[in-house]
Amino acid sequence: QNQRRPFTLRRRSLAPPPVKPSSAAGGSATPSQRHHHRPKPSKQQPTMADPPSFRRHPLPFSIDLVRWLPSSASSGRLLAAAVHDPSVPASSRLSLLPLHDPASPLASLPLPSRPTALRCSPSVLAAATSSGSLHLLSSSFDTDSAVSVPGGAGFHVGPVRGLDCGGEGWVTAGEDGRVHVVSDGGDGRVVARRVWDGKGMSGYGAARWASSAEFATGGAGCGVQWWDRRKGDAVVAQCKGVWGRGVATGMVHSIDIHPSRKHVCVVGGSSGTIFAWDLRWAQQPIPLSGVGLDETAQPLCESEVWEVLFDNYTQSSDIISSVSTRILPVMLCSEDGILAIVEQGEPLPRKR
C-alpha cells in the first residue's frame, strides 16, 4: 500500500483549440499525417456531457469573492458576491446577484472592510473581513436581521482567511493565529467560542469541517492540523505537508475534504503546491503538484494555489471501481490564471 503513487496532471482548457495554418488555408493533410496527429483514446480521460459556454456580464463594481447560492426554482440561479467600488472608500458590501442580471443586486449588506472569506450554507450566507469581523445573513436575505461578530480582542484581530459551515456552527481561522467556533446562541444572537490562540506564532489561511465534530485548518508555520471537538480543544493530528525547493513548510491557502471520504483532504498552497493527506497514513502526505519535487509530482504552476476542490462532476469507472486508497480527481485554480484537474494516473516518464 504505497501511498506515494505517481500522478498525472491534465490541464483542461475551456477555450477551443487554435486552428492550424494549413487548415485555415484550405490545405489537407496526407493520410499518414492524419494518422500521426489522431489523438489516442484514453480510458482515464473524462469527458464533459455538454461543451462549455460563456457569458460576459460587465459590472459597475469590482468583485473580491463570489459563490453560488443553493438553487431555488422560484428565484432562479443566484450568486453571492463580495464587491466594492475602488473609487469610493469604505464601499465593501455583500450582494445578492441574480444570474440573469448580476448588475442589479437584489439585496446588499454593507461590510466594515474588504471581505477575505465567503461561504454559503443552505440557510445562511457568511462573510469574513480583513478587520476580523464575521457577518451572517439568513436565506431570507433580510439585511435588517443580519448578525455580526465584530473584530477585535474578543474575536479576530486582522484578516479572517478560513471560514466554513458545519458541525457545531461556523469555524473561523485568522492570520492572528486564532480559531473560533461560532454557534447559535438563541434570540437572534451568536456565540463565538475560542478554540485556539496561536498568539501570533502562526497564522491560518484555511478551515474546513469534516464531520459534526471534526475540522481541519491550515496556514503558515503550522501545515495542516486536524481538530476533534470530542477530544477537547486540541490538535489530534498534524501534517507539515510536502513542499518543494527544500522548504520545510509553506503557506496553506485552501483545504477540501471529500464528503464520502472524510479521512482524506486535499491541500493547495504556495509555489504551486498541492498535496493530499490521508489520516490513515498521517505521516505520509501524497504530493500531487509542486516545484522542486521528484517525478511523482509534476509542477503544474509556480504561483499560489488559491483554491482546491474535489471534482465531483467527473465520472470515471476506473476511479469508482478502484481501491479506497486512490485519490479522486482534484480541481484547482491558481494566481496565474490556471484552471486544471489533477488526477492519479500512470507512472510519469523519468526526466533525462
Side-chain angles (χ1 to χ4, degrees):
Q1 296 180 349
N2 182 12
Q3 292 304 297
R4 293 184 178 274
R5 295 189 60 180
F7 280 75
T8 298
L9 301 179
R10 295 193 176 97
R11 185 180 304 176
R12 308 287 173 79
S13 174
L14 298 181
V19 179
K20 294 184 179 181
S22 60
S23 300
S28 60
T30 64
S32 61
Q33 289 174 330
R34 288 195 298 268
H35 177 76
H36 177 73
H37 292 291
R38 183 180 302 159
K40 297 180 179 180
S42 174
K43 292 168 54 180
Q44 293 186 351
Q45 181 69 37
T47 58
M48 299 182 66
D50 299 306
S53 61
F54 301 90
R55 284 184 290 178
R56 296 183 181 273
H57 296 282
L59 302 176
F61 40 74
S62 297
I63 296 180
D64 290 316
L65 300 166
V66 64
R67 299 282 179 187
W68 284 111
L69 285 175
S71 60
S72 173
S74 60
S75 58
R77 298 305 302 270
L78 299 175
L79 298 170
V83 304
H84 76 283
D85 187 343
S87 62
V88 180
S91 62
S92 297
R93 61 188 184 277
L94 181 60
S95 295
L96 179 68
L97 310 178
L99 182 59
H100 67 275
D101 186 15
S104 302
L106 300 179
S108 291
L109 177 69
L111 299 175
S113 57
R114 292 284 290 274
T116 52
L118 179 63
R119 289 288 178 188
C120 303
S121 77
S123 59
V124 178
L125 173 62
T129 69
S130 60
S131 58
S133 62
L134 175 66
H135 305 268
L136 305 175
L137 183 63
S138 68
S139 57
S140 64
F141 308 116
D142 180 8
T143 56
D144 294 333
S145 62
V147 179
S148 300
V149 181
F155 192 49
H156 287 283
V157 179
V160 178
R161 299 292 180 184
L163 176 63
D164 195 29
C165 177
E168 300 178 16
W170 294 88
V171 59
T172 63
E175 290 185 3
D176 56 0
R178 296 176 179 177
V179 178
H180 291 85
V181 172
V182 181
S183 56
D184 185 6
D187 298 328
R189 300 178 301 106
V190 293
V191 176
R193 185 175 184 273
R194 184 167 299 172
V195 177
W196 177 254
D197 187 354
K199 300 186 183 301
M201 299 301 294
S202 61
Y204 292 102
R208 181 75 72 172
W209 282 101
S211 67
S212 60
E214 299 168 289
F215 63 88
T217 58
C222 58
V224 185
Q225 298 173 328
W226 194 271
W227 308 74
D228 192 335
R229 303 300 310 281
R230 298 166 297 188
K231 299 180 180 179
D233 295 334
V235 175
V236 297
Q238 185 165 356
C239 173
K240 290 191 176 297
V242 182
W243 308 90
R245 293 174 174 169
V247 178
T249 183
M251 180 67 189
V252 173
H253 297 306
S254 178
I255 299 174
D256 194 28
I257 300 173
H258 198 274
S260 63
R261 300 184 182 184
K262 306 256 182 211
H263 56 276
V264 179
C265 65
V266 63
V267 180
S270 53
S271 300
T273 299
I274 307 169
F275 63 88
W277 184 33
D278 192 327
L279 288 176
R280 297 172 298 179
W281 295 275
Q283 303 304 316
Q284 297 181 353
I286 307 168
L288 276 67
S289 176
V291 179
L293 297 173
D294 56 23
E295 288 80 2
T296 61
Q298 291 180 338
L300 181 60
C301 64
E302 299 187 16
S303 65
E304 308 299 289
V305 177
W306 290 124
E307 190 156 10
V308 289
L309 289 172
F310 278 105
D311 181 12
N312 297 320
Y313 177 80
T314 299
Q315 299 295 326
S316 173
S317 58
D318 293 337
I319 295 174
I320 295 175
S321 62
S322 65
V323 295
S324 60
T325 57
R326 189 168 185 174
I327 303 299
L328 300 176
V330 176
M331 299 183 294
L332 66 100
C333 66
S334 66
E335 186 176 26
D336 52 4
I338 292 178
L339 299 174
I341 295 177
V342 55
E343 58 183 293
Q344 192 171 4
E346 298 300 325
L348 300 171
R350 184 175 297 275
K351 297 180 180 179
R352 298 183 181 274

